[in-house]
Amino acid sequence: MDAAALERHRIAEVGTATIASVYPRTVGRNSFRGSHGNGGRHEVIVLTTDRGHVGWGPPLGPVGDARRFVGRPVAELIDPGLGVAEEALPLDCALHDLAGVILDLPVHRMLGARGSTALPVYSGAIYLDDLDPAEAPAGISAVERNLALDAAAGYRDFKLKLGRGYRWMSRAEGLARDIEVTRLTRERYPDARILVDANDGYSIHDAAEYIAATADVGLYWMEETFAERLEDLLELRRLIDEHSPSTLIADGEYRPNVPVVTKFAAQGLIDVLLMDVLDYGLTAWRRIMPTVIEAGAAISPHAWGWPLKTLYAAQIGAGLGSASIVEGVPGTTTGIDASAYRFEDGILTLPERPGFGLPLTSDAIRR
Ligand SMILES: [Mg+2]
């Protein structure tokens, strides 16, 4: 790539635009949080260079006074081979997009093109909707309906939320429902990869019961069974090795202590690392990747709850490799043209378009 091209572009303007995530249905509770709603509006950063090239992306944390970037050569803010300079980390996504646009390079190529550009994407939207409405809970038919809706939208693999007994039901009832939903999903979708996620709502005793009761389901992975602790992870590994040896342990999503979770990965206690697309960021993922590879772990950057984050997670997977499946947030994003991405039969195929390949449209309110 002609990285020198980035020397010739200076940031002329740092603006904002508003996009919105739109879910196909209201998404209910997980193990500890109430309704996840219908989507939401997001303010994103729009960078324009003195030569008229545009890149955009959600900010990573507070941007502060954006005027400090005006006049700066793009080459000072991002090295396409490494990522974004420390001072410009809030612009991580926008600068990757902009550098891709200037260099006529898709982000996944800038990241190294180490993975496939056609990646399985699971539905991450199978929440605890059986518990709502609170006054007359729908029961598991609500979960069946959600599975059917997402299957009709092209998903072939599903992640089930678990942990009903953490806050919403008694421990025994919650665990029984978690098991029932898991078994039912396997019955209805014999070929699906089934992922499960307790959002840290299980004890090791819950996990032991659940794993024994679903041993024949062939779970693809167990995510955030409990907060990452050495003794519990050792026991989880032992239980999985005994009952369901092909099941992966996925963790590192919620407020991860990254040095600790990568150490657990190196010890064989976490198989898939989940740090968030935006909270952690592209540049951080690029920096940690040699450690992840050395640990022998896989990656699947956390993408809930923006459909856009699914596309970014797929770009990271296609770029950095080691991603066997991507978290899908069903729905659409207003204000962007995502039509170059194809999703069919459970597989998302990335475009060979510069940057993220996601131009803003006139619906994105520019300011
Ligand atoms: Mg999760």
Side-chain angles (χ1 to χ4, degrees), residues 19-315:
I19 62 171
S21 299
V22 183
Y23 303 160
R25 58 180 181 269
T26 302
V27 176
R29 310 176 219 185
N30 66 15
S31 68
F32 71 99
R33 221 174 249 152
S35 175
H36 286 66
N38 293 293
R41 289 157 63 85
H42 321 289
E43 185 168 275
V44 299
I45 303 295
V46 184
L47 303 174
T48 308
T49 71
D50 54 355
R51 292 166 172 246
H53 286 58
V54 175
W56 68 272
L60 269 66
V63 176
D65 185 355
R67 284 173 299 186
R68 69 188 186 279
F69 299 113
V70 173
R72 303 284 301 278
V74 176
E76 282 180 18
L77 304 177
I78 180 168
D79 177 338
L82 295 172
V84 166
E86 201 69 30
E87 58 170 324
L89 280 176
L91 310 182
D92 200 11
C93 298
L95 280 167
H96 274 90
D97 190 44
L98 178 64
V101 168
I102 294 170
L103 300 172
D104 194 23
L105 191 69
V107 168
H108 59 87
R109 295 208 172 277
M110 196 186 305
L111 267 47
R114 292 189 191 85
S116 170
T117 52
L119 287 160
V121 172
Y122 66 82
S123 164
I126 311 299
Y127 276 61
L128 309 182
D129 290 356
D130 48 309
L131 305 178
D132 288 315
E135 62 284 5
I140 57 171
S141 65
V143 179
E144 285 188 272
R145 180 206 59 186
N146 292 344
L147 288 164
L149 286 169
D150 292 348
Y155 294 94
R156 298 295 172 260
D157 306 305
F158 306 100
K159 184 164 83 190
L160 311 174
K161 289 296 187 181
L162 302 180
R164 290 169 176 80
Y166 181 70
R167 277 187 72 177
W168 314 118
M169 300 173 90
S170 75
R171 174 183 178 266
E173 281 176 324
L175 200 51
R177 180 74 61 83
D178 287 352
I179 293 164
E180 191 184 359
V181 166
T182 308
R183 301 196 65 84
L184 177 90
T185 304
R186 171 53 76 225
E187 235 169 72
R188 296 280 192 280
Y189 302 91
D191 301 323
R193 272 173 279 215
I194 299 176
L195 299 73
V196 295
D197 181 1
N199 291 98
D200 291 337
Y202 268 9
S203 67
I204 188 64
H205 305 291
D206 298 332
E209 258 186 81
Y210 178 81
I211 291 166
T214 58
D216 57 333
V217 168
L219 294 173
Y220 185 72
W221 84 34
M222 290 187 73
E223 172 173 330
E224 294 206 301
T225 306
F226 30 63
E228 304 92 330
R229 285 183 302 266
L230 178 64
E231 292 74 12
D232 287 343
L233 284 168
L234 282 165
E235 179 61 5
L236 181 65
R237 177 95 271 165
R238 194 194 64 74
L239 289 162
I240 285 180
D241 285 350
E242 183 183 339
H243 296 283
S244 187
S246 66
T247 301
L248 302 169
I249 299 174
D251 219 317
E253 170 195 330
Y254 185 72
R255 297 181 185 167
N257 180 329
V258 176
V260 169
V261 295
T262 48
K263 197 177 89 192
F264 288 155
Q267 291 171 278
L269 301 175
I270 297 177
D271 302 305
V272 187
L273 290 166
L274 304 175
M275 286 82 82
D276 188 85
V277 168
L278 299 183
D279 293 340
Y280 193 56
L282 268 75
T283 295
W285 268 115
R286 298 180 74 172
R287 287 187 190 148
I288 197 81
M289 222 36 215
T291 309
V292 172
I293 290 168
E294 199 181 310
I299 69 167
S300 185
H302 175 254
W304 193 268
W306 306 17
L308 174 68
K309 285 171 69 178
T310 294
L311 308 182
Y312 284 3
Q315 290 276 357

